[in-house]
Amino acid sequence: MFGDTVNITDFLTFVGNQGITTAELPTNSDFPQQALTWAQNTVMQQPGTIPNIVYVMAVYNLGFHLLLGICPDQSGQTTFVSLRKSYGLLGFVGVVISATSDNSTSETLVSPDFLKGLRMQDLDYIKTPWGRQYLMYAQAYGPTIVDVT
């Protein structure tokens, strides 16, 4: 479906496959290229053992996450504002919750070690499925390496 090199045409196809229409994001918008460039400059090049398409999909997933954060809505549309709100992209998250309780119940989840070292940017990526897909790629470099360039 996608080539094994990053390009704007395939990225726009990826964006469309996520449900974004040309009414919501016109083909002449500069924001997809900005998000794609940002993603390419963030995603580490894959080691030789990982196929190129895995790198490409990491870039497209991160690019879409970033696009959600920077793209304004077209007149009469609320797609990007709604997505930012539904994924909590406008709110601050400073930690990952590992325990919760009330008067009669409690739960504790074991947080993997890599979560303890996440930067604010990485905590933002966790909020969307596309950001999490990117983080899964980034973690392929090792259990504690996220976004090291």
Side-chain angles (χ1 to χ4, degrees), residues 32-91:
Q33 183 63 63
Q34 292 172 10
L36 183 61
T37 300
W38 186 358
Q40 279 186 280
N41 288 327
T42 301
V43 177
M44 293 172 57
Q45 290 290 327
Q46 76 276 14
T49 58
I50 297 178
N52 286 348
I53 190 62
V54 175
Y55 166 75
V56 169
M57 295 311 297
V59 171
Y60 291 170
N61 275 282
L62 179 57
F64 187 70
H65 174 92
L66 297 170
L67 184 67
L68 293 179
I70 66 172
C71 193
D73 281 310
Q74 296 298 302
S75 180
Q77 300 284 335
T78 61
T79 302
F80 290 101
V81 167
S82 296
L83 287 169
R84 283 191 283 271
K85 185 175 181 181
S86 70
Y87 287 111
L89 293 176
L90 302 175

Side-chain angles (χ1 to χ4, degrees), residues 117-138:
L118 293 181
R119 301 173 299 166
M120 286 180 61
Q121 180 177 340
D122 303 321
L123 291 170
D124 182 67
Y125 296 157
I126 288 175
K127 294 178 181 180
T128 71
W130 305 279
R132 289 189 299 271
Q133 285 295 317
Y134 159 68
L135 285 174
M136 287 176 15
Y137 170 84

